[in-house]
Amino acid sequence: MKNFDILYLKEVPSLYNHEIIIKKIILYVEENLHEPLTLENIAAQSNFSKYHFHRIFQSTIGMTVTEYIRLRRLANASSALLYRSERILDIALYYQFESQESFTRAFKEIYKLPPGKYRRMMSDVIKIKEETNMDTKVKGWFLSGSNPFNYEMGIDHEVVHQGKASGYLKSKTVLDSTEFATMMQTFKANQFVGKRIRLSCFIRTEEVDTYAGMWMRVDDTMEDVLQFDNMSNRPIKGTTNWNHYSIILDVPTQSAVISFGIILSGQGTVWADQFTFEEVNESIPTTNLEVHGELLDEPINLSFDEEI
C-alpha cells in the first residue's frame, strides 16, 4: 500500500464519525454566524485537512461550507428584517456582509426581492396569516399521533434554517410525557423500490422534555412494516440549535408506501426544514430499528426463564 493510501485511511474515519464531525461543525457555524468564518478555521475544528473536510461536508450536506454559511446568514437576516427593527445596513454588517450593496445583491439572488421590499411585503403577509390563523394547515403535511389535539403544527417565518419558513410542531395542553404527535407525510414507494435511501433534514428544538426526532417507515401492501427508524436510539432532547440529521433505510421490492415526518413526545417545540431524499449505495449502513410486532411461528418463553 502506498504511503498516501495509509495517510488517507488514517485521516478518514467511519461514516458514523463523519456524521458526528459534521454536527460539531454545523453547531460551531451556528454559534458564529455573526463572526468572520474561514474554511481554515472551520476545518481546524474538524481535525481534517481542508481538502478532506470540504469533500466530507459537501457530500453530507449537498453544498460547500461556504455556501452553507452564506445561506444561513441570509436566512437569519431575513428573519431579522421581519421581526426586528434594525436598519438594513446594521443587519448586513452583523452578518458579515461588506456593505448594504453586497448584502442586497446576495439577498435578492435567493429571495428574489431587495431587503427593503421583502421587509414591507412579507410583514404584511405574516400579519394577515396571524390574523386569519392560516398556518394551522400546512400544505402536504398532516398531524397525527396518540393525542394530536394536544399539539399544534404550523409554519414559522421567524425561526428559519434556509429560505422563508420552517415547519414546527409544539405542545399545547400536554400533561403526560407519554403523549406524542407527529407532523407527517405518506407517499407511494414506487420511485425508490429496490434502493437504499437517505432521508435528511435540519432540526432545532426548544425545551423538549421527553424526546424529538425524525422518523421514516416503509410498508408493504398489507401495511406491514418492512423498515423503520424513529431515532429513539439517538433522541434529541432539551434546547438545541439547528443541526443535520439522517435516517437510512432500504426499500425492499415488496414496498408500497413510505411515511416520514417529525415526532415530538411530551412537551416542547421542534422545528424542521429542508427534508431531502436521496439514493445511497449499500456500503452505507442502514439505521433500521428492529420492529417486534410480527407474528411468531409458535409461542416462546412460556415459563419466563429466558432473558433478553
Side-chain angles (χ1 to χ4, degrees), residues 28-39:
Y28 174 78
V29 167
E30 290 296 319
E31 293 173 346
N32 292 279
L33 285 170
H34 60 288
E35 300 288 350
L37 288 168
T38 64
L39 180 58

Side-chain angles (χ1 to χ4, degrees), residues 6-252:
I6 295 171
L7 290 171
Y8 179 82
L9 289 173
K10 286 182 178 178
E11 187 165 20
V12 180
S14 68
L15 289 168
Y16 176 74
N17 287 338
H18 284 183
E19 189 169 310
I20 292 173
I21 289 163
I22 293 301
K23 283 183 168 58
K24 175 186 174 183
I25 293 302
I26 289 175
L27 184 59
Y28 174 78
V29 167
E30 290 296 319
E31 293 173 346
N32 292 279
L33 285 170
H34 60 288
E35 300 288 350
L37 288 168
T38 64
L39 180 58
E40 286 79 9
N41 62 32
I42 294 172
Q45 298 291 319
S46 70
N47 295 320
F48 280 158
S49 68
K50 286 192 296 182
Y51 167 77
H52 286 303
F53 168 73
H54 173 82
R55 183 178 60 82
I56 292 164
F57 190 95
Q58 186 164 15
S59 66
T60 303
I61 305 301
M63 65 183 75
T64 67
V65 69
T66 303
E67 291 169 327
Y68 179 82
I69 292 168
R70 177 172 169 270
L71 289 173
R72 286 296 297 124
R73 284 173 169 164
L74 287 170
N76 280 9
S78 74
S79 177
L81 288 168
L82 300 180
Y83 293 95
R84 302 209 308 253
S85 59
E86 285 96 332
R87 298 182 307 163
I88 293 173
L89 175 60
D90 293 334
I91 293 172
L93 296 177
Y94 181 80
Y95 286 110
Q96 299 297 303
F97 290 90
E98 294 179 356
S99 64
Q100 186 167 328
E101 290 74 19
S102 64
F103 171 62
T104 297
R105 285 194 302 271
F107 191 91
K108 191 174 180 180
E109 181 182 344
I110 301 301
Y111 294 89
K112 310 307 178 187
L113 291 170
K117 191 171 184 179
Y118 179 87
R119 172 178 261 174
R120 292 191 299 272
M121 291 181 63
M122 287 300 297
S123 294
D124 290 341
V125 169
I126 291 169
K127 183 178 179 181
I128 292 170
K129 285 187 175 182
E130 289 174 347
E131 290 175 350
T132 59
N133 201 26
M134 287 173 62
D135 279 349
T136 55
K137 293 185 178 180
V138 183
K139 181 179 180 180
W141 298 86
F142 63 93
L143 186 63
S144 186
S146 64
N147 301 94
F149 46 83
N150 287 337
Y151 292 83
E152 174 188 313
M153 75 172 184
I155 294 172
D156 196 325
H157 295 277
E158 184 173 7
V159 179
V160 180
H161 185 261
Q162 289 178 30
K164 298 178 182 178
S166 65
Y168 73 85
L169 180 61
K170 71 176 180 180
S171 58
K172 294 193 302 180
T173 54
V174 174
L175 299 176
D176 189 339
S177 63
T178 63
E179 295 182 39
F180 74 91
T182 175
M183 180 171 64
M184 63 176 290
Q185 290 193 39
T186 298
F187 64 97
K188 295 178 181 177
N190 300 11
Q191 63 179 312
F192 294 119
V193 168
K195 299 176 181 179
R196 179 166 293 182
I197 60 172
R198 173 163 50 202
L199 168 65
S200 301
C201 79
F202 288 88
I203 296 174
R204 173 174 170 165
T205 62
E206 183 175 280
E207 297 182 351
V208 172
D209 65 354
T210 305
Y211 104 93
M214 179 173 51
W215 66 274
M216 179 165 60
R217 193 181 73 205
V218 182
D219 295 344
D220 63 16
T221 55
M222 301 297 290
E223 298 185 356
D224 291 328
V225 179
L226 303 177
Q227 292 267 294
F228 176 73
D229 182 11
N230 65 355
M231 290 181 57
S232 58
N233 60 348
R234 50 196 194 285
I236 308 170
K237 297 182 179 182
T239 298
T240 64
N241 212 332
W242 287 111
N243 220 317
H244 187 258
Y245 300 87
S246 296
I247 285 173
I248 300 168
L249 296 180
D250 287 325
V251 184

